[in-house]
Amino acid sequence: MQIKVKCSCGEGKCPEWAIVELQGAVEAQPSFQNCVENLQIGILCRPSSEESYTFTVGYHELMGAKQSLKKPILVLKKVKVDDEGEVELDVIGVIRHKILFKTRPKALISRAQPVLKPKINAPASLLN
Amino acid sequence: MDIPDFEELEWLESHGVDDEFDDDFELDVEPPSPPSSPSSDKPPQRPTLSLPPKPSPFKPQSQINPTSRKRAGSDLLNSISLDVNDKNGKRSRNGEDEARNEKFAQSECPDTGPMGSGNVGDSEKNNEGSDDDEEWLRFSPPRDTVEEMEVVEEVVQERILSRYATEIDGDCVPITGLDGERVYAKICSSVEMDEEMKIKKLNFRGDHNGLLQEPVRVLMEKVEHEQFTKALQGSVEDDMAEVVLSTAPVASEQLWVEKYAPCSFTELLSDEKTNRKVLLWLKQWDSCVFGSDIKSTTDDVLTSLRRHSTGSQHFKQSTKSYFQKNRETRFNRDIPKTHNDLDKENDTSLGDQEMWDKKHKSSGPPEQKVLLLCGSPGLGKTTLAHVAARHCGYRVVEINASDDRSASTIEAKILDVVQMNSVIADSKPKCLVIDEIDGALGDGKGAVEIILQLLSAEKKSDTGKENIAQEENSGRKSSRKKQKSSVLLRPVICICNDLYVPALRPLRQVAKVHIFVQPTVSRVVNRLKYICTKEGVKTSSVALSALAENTECDIRSCLNTLQFLNKKKEILNVMDISSQVVGRKDVAKSAFHIWKEIFQKKRGKSSSRSNKSSSSTSKDFEFLYSMISNRGDYELILDGIYENILQLNYVDPLMQKTVQCLDNLGVSDIAHRYIMRTQQMSLLVYQPPIAIFIHGLIAQLERKDIEWPKSLQRNRTILAERMDMFHTWHGRISPYISRHLSAKSFVEDSISSLLHILSPPTLRPVALHLLSEKEKSDLGQLVNTMVSYAITYKNIKSDRSDTWRHEDALEATTIALDPPLSNFIHFKDYNSCHIDLALAVKQVLVHEVEKQKILQGSLSRSSNPHVEENHVFAKNNAGTRLPSKSSCTNGSVEKKTNQISPAAEKAKLSKAVDEVKSVQRTRKTSGGLTSFFNRIKKVNKDGSEVPNNVDEPKSATVRRDSHPFLFKYNEGFTNAVKRPVRIREFLV
């Protein structure tokens, strides 16, 4: 069986993609199980000019580094040409780099702490 | 005590030694040269002992007859025993002989200089008249003159060098080799030849007109060189040849210190007692080192030595032997000195005797296997060690620990020496001399540690049973050696300058310590005079004694100075020395010494000198300045002055001196600080004059105990401690109070008042409800103050617990202020006038303060942080003035809040006040204090329960909103995340 792979974009114009590789899984909170769209997964940022990245998901901060892949990976899009099941694969991007987060995440406890605060806040709100 | 017959003894010894050493001698190319000490060079059989006549210098040594070789090899040991036997014999005479001897010695003492030639002549006359058999005895006692004592008749013609001055006709010069042996070289002819050649050279220089291929001068030099090599060959069979040839032409180049170093035991300049003790100690090794053959002799030797060293003359021996008529010859000038020290020594003699008796039975090596000699430089420690060891028949192996600093090299060397016997060459047993052991402390204490290891190994292996025959012992030791590698078998002498170096502490405990004392000035001067006459230097004994005094009897520096002056063709005079141009030592004194010099006036000489010349003050100044600047540690020295100055009792009715001194110390302190800050070290030169000025003010004749300055250190730690305490406490006070408190102003101004406030005298130690209204308000105020200043009372375990037990059976503790504020104003000999509150009051205060704190804390938690401060104030007022009219309280609170906060907060405030009121009410109703906390809690619950319930879900959602996704970390390798995908899935 023949599979056609096409590249619609021109020479050297394929958009660069990147892989964010996590040692673990990103899970939605139970209350958001149904409405995951348009929610922020986390913040990926490069704190300095080095090849190190931080990725903040929930109350975890991941530290990772940018690596170049040994073999580039193509990102394909399956296009159905006709109803018989004829399939074309369209190249929509090429991946040459990945950002690998393989270390144990660091817990950001600043937010998770407030257990006693409500008590203080409560009268204030009440008095207002 | 039995004294063995001399001849027999001698015979025994010589044979024993011969047996022992014969094999080794066969291997020798050259026989070991006999020791040069003339006193020990003369056994009874004179003809065999004297050097074999050398018909020509080229005669090979191997032709010397075997007996003389043996003689030469063994005579060292022989001489020891003979020497000692002689002493033994002397000692064994009866009491009246002793007394006579003493008299004689004292009478003879003054004129026995080292070069007392007349004296020598007398003794020589005596010698001629005496028995040939015993003639040697007369020369064995210590004597400084060496060469004049020689009575060898045979004169060999054409002698260039010889061991005996008499064998050389004409002028001769004594030369002491590097190994301490002395020969006499006939140098006059060579000098003459030199002169002749000089003339010739001068002549030749003129008519150097190139007729010859080489100039005549070169030829002459060649001839000279040939002669030189010939002479070298000729004297090659003699040990001394090289030394002589190298030294004879350049005799003046040799250091006098080395040239005139004592080469026999009798020439030693150091204290006779110490010398003999060292010798005794070395002798105690004999049975261990040399074997049992000479054990009996050794015992005798030990006996006599012990008597000498202890100096006690009460051992009565009834033997009037043939020594008697020669007794006068054994005297030397050291005897009177020994007698002077008699009292002192008698104390030690008992101990020594006991120790010796024990040794005598066991006949092993001495109990303390290491000898530690210490003393300041130049007293002759090294010389004594070398001479004594050689005298006892050891080959000295010196390890200068300052050179070989690493522990491993030292260890290898020490083990080599101590445990191995050399098979070839010089087969004398070795004696290890570790010089400057206090320098061998580079890493891991080096030599000291190794010696200690050896000693400890010894102790382990020697589990008693010491008095076993030597043969057995040696057998056992060899077997033991297989198990334990290191056992100390040879004497070890350690030499150090400072005994109290911390690193030497372990060694000090195990070693036998001898401290060198300065020899008397007269002895040093005598020796110096002798050397000066030998060298042809013109000096006066006044100058010499001044030099000796100046160098503190350091003969090495004396000699160096003399030689230096001689070389410069200058004459030593008193002025030079007293003006400290020459012979001055650049030795840093200890700090204590410097303090002593500062606090103490010099008496005697300096005062008389001041009478003579008015420049004594400047001299004093010079002396102190050089001393202090040599030491260099100005801060320490001035600290020491500061520490000790007030302990001195100088006459100062108006306190002017004290004020001046302290002013000067202040100046030096300021200067020091400036120097340290700006790093201008050149200004440090102005520090010593301050100390000298103080010296001029307060120096006393009397001696005072000087203490090491500790107060600075102590006070510094106390300051740090107190500052730490203050800062922690400062941190606990709420900021609106603590911002007004700096450490300086608090300690200097407010702490005393605060303590007065904290301990009002009006508080009665009664139960709370018995207090009057005013007292209650006072108490309330006090508690208020304490809370706001974060002060409380605390139970502290008291050392006087038993006294407290009478008053309070339950508590064995005192109650004190929690930050111990009174410590801040605790000074030496100062009693603060603050009243200590009664225990009961303190207990009440502890409770009240705790209560107040809790009340405050709980209220502040439930109140808006914005008005927290006001609340605290309000609550405090309300809480403490509980019994007073509440309306008044409210009014005051409202007034204050009005001033501070806007009107909108009024409501909150009133609520808070209401709360407080409710607290008060409940408290009132219950009437007791115990149920108070419950109320508060209840109120708290009432106040905060509802909002909490409302808030909880809300806040939860908020939190969740902020994190829609969570990250779940998978342990392990990254493959756990990757998932294989089949190609089919792309296609469907």
Side-chain angles (χ1 to χ4, degrees), chain B residues 786-812:
Chain B
M786 285 175 67
V787 169
S788 47
Y789 278 90
I791 297 164
T792 182
Y793 281 98
K794 205 170 73 175
N795 285 341
I796 292 168
K797 285 231 174 80
S798 81
D799 20 326
R800 307 167 296 166
S801 56
D802 44 354
T803 57
W804 280 107
R805 214 165 273 155
H806 295 299
E807 297 170 28
D808 195 340
L810 293 173
E811 278 181 302

mmCIF file of all heavy atoms in Angstrom, chain B residues 786-812:
data_model
loop_
_atom_site.group_PDB
_atom_site.id
_atom_site.type_symbol
_atom_site.label_atom_id
_atom_site.label_comp_id
_atom_site.label_asym_id
_atom_site.label_seq_id
_atom_site.Cartn_x
_atom_site.Cartn_y
_atom_site.Cartn_z
ATOM 1 N N MET B 786 5.801 45.282 81.039
ATOM 2 C CA MET B 786 6.607 44.082 80.792
ATOM 3 C C MET B 786 6.232 43.435 79.479
ATOM 4 O O MET B 786 7.109 42.978 78.729
ATOM 5 C CB MET B 786 6.438 43.095 81.952
ATOM 6 C CG MET B 786 7.190 43.526 83.193
ATOM 7 S SD MET B 786 6.891 42.450 84.575
ATOM 8 C CE MET B 786 7.658 40.968 84.015
ATOM 9 N N VAL B 787 4.927 43.397 79.205
ATOM 10 C CA VAL B 787 4.523 42.755 77.955
ATOM 11 C C VAL B 787 5.030 43.556 76.775
ATOM 12 O O VAL B 787 5.563 43.005 75.812
ATOM 13 C CB VAL B 787 2.988 42.607 77.913
ATOM 14 C CG1 VAL B 787 2.536 42.203 76.526
ATOM 15 C CG2 VAL B 787 2.551 41.603 78.932
ATOM 16 N N SER B 788 4.873 44.878 76.864
ATOM 17 C CA SER B 788 5.262 45.648 75.690
ATOM 18 C C SER B 788 6.775 45.666 75.499
ATOM 19 O O SER B 788 7.254 45.839 74.387
ATOM 20 C CB SER B 788 4.721 47.063 75.791
ATOM 21 O OG SER B 788 4.990 47.594 77.059
ATOM 22 N N TYR B 789 7.513 45.463 76.562
ATOM 23 C CA TYR B 789 8.969 45.367 76.408
ATOM 24 C C TYR B 789 9.449 43.917 76.298
ATOM 25 O O TYR B 789 10.634 43.650 76.369
ATOM 26 C CB TYR B 789 9.676 46.054 77.573
ATOM 27 C CG TYR B 789 9.768 47.532 77.395
ATOM 28 C CD1 TYR B 789 8.773 48.351 77.869
ATOM 29 C CD2 TYR B 789 10.834 48.106 76.712
ATOM 30 C CE1 TYR B 789 8.825 49.722 77.682
ATOM 31 C CE2 TYR B 789 10.913 49.459 76.523
ATOM 32 C CZ TYR B 789 9.897 50.277 77.010
ATOM 33 O OH TYR B 789 9.963 51.628 76.809
ATOM 34 N N ALA B 790 8.468 43.040 76.158
ATOM 35 C CA ALA B 790 8.802 41.611 75.972
ATOM 36 C C ALA B 790 9.684 41.087 77.098
ATOM 37 O O ALA B 790 10.625 40.348 76.875
ATOM 38 C CB ALA B 790 9.450 41.359 74.630
ATOM 39 N N ILE B 791 9.384 41.540 78.285
ATOM 40 C CA ILE B 791 10.132 41.055 79.437
ATOM 41 C C ILE B 791 9.213 40.162 80.247
ATOM 42 O O ILE B 791 8.024 40.431 80.372
ATOM 43 C CB ILE B 791 10.598 42.239 80.310
ATOM 44 C CG1 ILE B 791 11.541 43.119 79.521
ATOM 45 C CG2 ILE B 791 11.271 41.752 81.568
ATOM 46 C CD1 ILE B 791 11.746 44.461 80.138
ATOM 47 N N THR B 792 9.785 39.126 80.734
ATOM 48 C CA THR B 792 8.992 38.292 81.615
ATOM 49 C C THR B 792 9.909 37.702 82.676
ATOM 50 O O THR B 792 11.123 37.886 82.637
ATOM 51 C CB THR B 792 8.294 37.166 80.821
ATOM 52 O OG1 THR B 792 7.497 36.427 81.736
ATOM 53 C CG2 THR B 792 9.299 36.246 80.182
ATOM 54 N N TYR B 793 9.299 37.019 83.578
ATOM 55 C CA TYR B 793 10.100 36.304 84.575
ATOM 56 C C TYR B 793 10.176 34.851 84.189
ATOM 57 O O TYR B 793 9.258 34.302 83.580
ATOM 58 C CB TYR B 793 9.491 36.460 85.970
ATOM 59 C CG TYR B 793 9.811 37.794 86.585
ATOM 60 C CD1 TYR B 793 8.905 38.833 86.538
ATOM 61 C CD2 TYR B 793 11.025 37.995 87.204
ATOM 62 C CE1 TYR B 793 9.190 40.056 87.090
ATOM 63 C CE2 TYR B 793 11.321 39.215 87.767
ATOM 64 C CZ TYR B 793 10.407 40.252 87.715
ATOM 65 O OH TYR B 793 10.709 41.453 88.270
ATOM 66 N N LYS B 794 11.238 34.265 84.532
ATOM 67 C CA LYS B 794 11.418 32.877 84.118
ATOM 68 C C LYS B 794 12.015 32.089 85.283
ATOM 69 O O LYS B 794 12.795 32.623 86.069
ATOM 70 C CB LYS B 794 12.361 32.794 82.928
ATOM 71 C CG LYS B 794 12.154 31.557 82.084
ATOM 72 C CD LYS B 794 12.927 31.638 80.792
ATOM 73 C CE LYS B 794 14.408 31.458 81.025
ATOM 74 N NZ LYS B 794 15.164 31.412 79.753
ATOM 75 N N ASN B 795 11.620 30.840 85.347
ATOM 76 C CA ASN B 795 12.225 29.990 86.363
ATOM 77 C C ASN B 795 13.639 29.642 85.937
ATOM 78 O O ASN B 795 13.864 29.148 84.843
ATOM 79 C CB ASN B 795 11.428 28.697 86.520
ATOM 80 C CG ASN B 795 10.146 28.958 87.260
ATOM 81 O OD1 ASN B 795 10.016 29.976 87.947
ATOM 82 N ND2 ASN B 795 9.195 28.061 87.110
ATOM 83 N N ILE B 796 14.553 29.892 86.809
ATOM 84 C CA ILE B 796 15.945 29.554 86.507
ATOM 85 C C ILE B 796 16.452 28.672 87.617
ATOM 86 O O ILE B 796 16.258 28.976 88.799
ATOM 87 C CB ILE B 796 16.805 30.828 86.392
ATOM 88 C CG1 ILE B 796 16.381 31.614 85.161
ATOM 89 C CG2 ILE B 796 18.274 30.482 86.311
ATOM 90 C CD1 ILE B 796 16.934 32.987 85.113
ATOM 91 N N LYS B 797 17.055 27.615 87.240
ATOM 92 C CA LYS B 797 17.623 26.713 88.249
ATOM 93 C C LYS B 797 18.695 27.462 89.014
ATOM 94 O O LYS B 797 19.674 27.933 88.434
ATOM 95 C CB LYS B 797 18.242 25.504 87.556
ATOM 96 C CG LYS B 797 17.228 24.519 87.051
ATOM 97 C CD LYS B 797 17.580 23.114 87.522
ATOM 98 C CE LYS B 797 16.491 22.133 87.154
ATOM 99 N NZ LYS B 797 16.550 21.704 85.758
ATOM 100 N N SER B 798 18.502 27.564 90.271
ATOM 101 C CA SER B 798 19.481 28.333 91.048
ATOM 102 C C SER B 798 20.476 27.398 91.705
ATOM 103 O O SER B 798 20.183 26.246 92.005
ATOM 104 C CB SER B 798 18.784 29.150 92.118
ATOM 105 O OG SER B 798 18.515 28.328 93.219
ATOM 106 N N ASP B 799 21.618 27.926 91.911
ATOM 107 C CA ASP B 799 22.641 27.128 92.587
ATOM 108 C C ASP B 799 22.379 27.105 94.090
ATOM 109 O O ASP B 799 22.916 26.274 94.801
ATOM 110 C CB ASP B 799 24.023 27.676 92.298
ATOM 111 C CG ASP B 799 23.979 29.112 91.833
ATOM 112 O OD1 ASP B 799 23.005 29.458 91.140
ATOM 113 O OD2 ASP B 799 24.892 29.877 92.165
ATOM 114 N N ARG B 800 21.586 28.054 94.524
ATOM 115 C CA ARG B 800 21.307 28.086 95.954
ATOM 116 C C ARG B 800 19.970 27.402 96.228
ATOM 117 O O ARG B 800 19.125 27.896 96.951
ATOM 118 C CB ARG B 800 21.240 29.527 96.437
ATOM 119 C CG ARG B 800 22.459 30.334 96.072
ATOM 120 C CD ARG B 800 22.184 31.785 96.288
ATOM 121 N NE ARG B 800 21.133 32.263 95.396
ATOM 122 C CZ ARG B 800 20.516 33.429 95.556
ATOM 123 N NH1 ARG B 800 20.804 34.193 96.575
ATOM 124 N NH2 ARG B 800 19.600 33.814 94.695
ATOM 125 N N SER B 801 19.777 26.307 95.570
ATOM 126 C CA SER B 801 18.450 25.691 95.616
ATOM 127 C C SER B 801 18.054 25.305 97.037
ATOM 128 O O SER B 801 16.889 25.390 97.413
ATOM 129 C CB SER B 801 18.422 24.465 94.716
ATOM 130 O OG SER B 801 19.448 23.595 95.113
ATOM 131 N N ASP B 802 19.021 24.920 97.851
ATOM 132 C CA ASP B 802 18.650 24.447 99.193
ATOM 133 C C ASP B 802 18.106 25.597 100.048
ATOM 134 O O ASP B 802 17.195 25.407 100.843
ATOM 135 C CB ASP B 802 19.858 23.789 99.870
ATOM 136 C CG ASP B 802 21.107 24.594 99.677
ATOM 137 O OD1 ASP B 802 21.050 25.601 98.933
ATOM 138 O OD2 ASP B 802 22.118 24.231 100.254
ATOM 139 N N THR B 803 18.659 26.788 99.840
ATOM 140 C CA THR B 803 18.139 27.898 100.635
ATOM 141 C C THR B 803 16.710 28.231 100.228
ATOM 142 O O THR B 803 15.884 28.616 101.055
ATOM 143 C CB THR B 803 19.017 29.141 100.445
ATOM 144 O OG1 THR B 803 19.049 29.438 99.062
ATOM 145 C CG2 THR B 803 20.403 28.916 100.991
ATOM 146 N N TRP B 804 16.473 28.088 98.966
ATOM 147 C CA TRP B 804 15.114 28.378 98.505
ATOM 148 C C TRP B 804 14.127 27.336 99.017
ATOM 149 O O TRP B 804 12.954 27.608 99.186
ATOM 150 C CB TRP B 804 15.056 28.435 96.988
ATOM 151 C CG TRP B 804 15.554 29.738 96.483
ATOM 152 C CD1 TRP B 804 16.718 29.984 95.854
ATOM 153 C CD2 TRP B 804 14.898 30.990 96.613
ATOM 154 N NE1 TRP B 804 16.845 31.302 95.576
ATOM 155 C CE2 TRP B 804 15.737 31.963 96.034
ATOM 156 C CE3 TRP B 804 13.684 31.394 97.171
ATOM 157 C CZ2 TRP B 804 15.397 33.301 95.993
ATOM 158 C CZ3 TRP B 804 13.345 32.723 97.119
ATOM 159 C CH2 TRP B 804 14.202 33.676 96.546
ATOM 160 N N ARG B 805 14.588 26.176 99.213
ATOM 161 C CA ARG B 805 13.692 25.111 99.612
ATOM 162 C C ARG B 805 13.007 25.439 100.939
ATOM 163 O O ARG B 805 11.903 25.029 101.205
ATOM 164 C CB ARG B 805 14.469 23.796 99.727
ATOM 165 C CG ARG B 805 13.651 22.595 99.342
ATOM 166 C CD ARG B 805 14.521 21.385 99.107
ATOM 167 N NE ARG B 805 15.016 21.331 97.745
ATOM 168 C CZ ARG B 805 16.118 20.694 97.399
ATOM 169 N NH1 ARG B 805 16.844 20.081 98.291
ATOM 170 N NH2 ARG B 805 16.498 20.674 96.149
ATOM 171 N N HIS B 806 13.678 26.172 101.763
ATOM 172 C CA HIS B 806 13.051 26.530 103.037
ATOM 173 C C HIS B 806 11.849 27.424 102.796
ATOM 174 O O HIS B 806 10.824 27.268 103.429
ATOM 175 C CB HIS B 806 14.071 27.255 103.921
ATOM 176 C CG HIS B 806 15.211 26.367 104.301
ATOM 177 N ND1 HIS B 806 15.018 25.210 105.015
ATOM 178 C CD2 HIS B 806 16.531 26.452 104.048
ATOM 179 C CE1 HIS B 806 16.200 24.617 105.188
ATOM 180 N NE2 HIS B 806 17.119 25.357 104.614
ATOM 181 N N GLU B 807 11.991 28.319 101.861
ATOM 182 C CA GLU B 807 10.896 29.249 101.633
ATOM 183 C C GLU B 807 9.824 28.615 100.784
ATOM 184 O O GLU B 807 8.627 28.750 101.050
ATOM 185 C CB GLU B 807 11.426 30.506 100.940
ATOM 186 C CG GLU B 807 12.428 31.249 101.806
ATOM 187 C CD GLU B 807 13.115 32.341 101.022
ATOM 188 O OE1 GLU B 807 12.503 32.867 100.080
ATOM 189 O OE2 GLU B 807 14.271 32.644 101.349
ATOM 190 N N ASP B 808 10.244 27.950 99.787
ATOM 191 C CA ASP B 808 9.278 27.372 98.871
ATOM 192 C C ASP B 808 9.618 25.901 98.671
ATOM 193 O O ASP B 808 10.560 25.565 97.966
ATOM 194 C CB ASP B 808 9.325 28.115 97.544
ATOM 195 C CG ASP B 808 8.108 27.792 96.717
ATOM 196 O OD1 ASP B 808 7.461 26.762 96.980
ATOM 197 O OD2 ASP B 808 7.833 28.558 95.792
ATOM 198 N N ALA B 809 8.840 25.080 99.291
ATOM 199 C CA ALA B 809 9.163 23.663 99.281
ATOM 200 C C ALA B 809 8.997 23.060 97.897
ATOM 201 O O ALA B 809 9.660 22.083 97.551
ATOM 202 C CB ALA B 809 8.294 22.911 100.274
ATOM 203 N N LEU B 810 8.119 23.654 97.123
ATOM 204 C CA LEU B 810 7.807 23.034 95.838
ATOM 205 C C LEU B 810 8.864 23.354 94.782
ATOM 206 O O LEU B 810 9.258 22.503 94.003
ATOM 207 C CB LEU B 810 6.447 23.515 95.351
ATOM 208 C CG LEU B 810 5.267 23.037 96.200
ATOM 209 C CD1 LEU B 810 3.997 23.704 95.742
ATOM 210 C CD2 LEU B 810 5.142 21.523 96.134
ATOM 211 N N GLU B 811 9.286 24.598 94.788
ATOM 212 C CA GLU B 811 10.178 24.998 93.708
ATOM 213 C C GLU B 811 11.607 25.146 94.214
ATOM 214 O O GLU B 811 11.845 25.838 95.193
ATOM 215 C CB GLU B 811 9.722 26.329 93.135
ATOM 216 C CG GLU B 811 8.593 26.152 92.144
ATOM 217 C CD GLU B 811 8.199 27.499 91.582
ATOM 218 O OE1 GLU B 811 7.838 28.377 92.373
ATOM 219 O OE2 GLU B 811 8.253 27.652 90.354
ATOM 220 N N ALA B 812 12.482 24.525 93.537
ATOM 221 C CA ALA B 812 13.898 24.650 93.872
ATOM 222 C C ALA B 812 14.578 25.621 92.923
ATOM 223 O O ALA B 812 15.759 25.538 92.653
ATOM 224 C CB ALA B 812 14.576 23.309 93.813
#
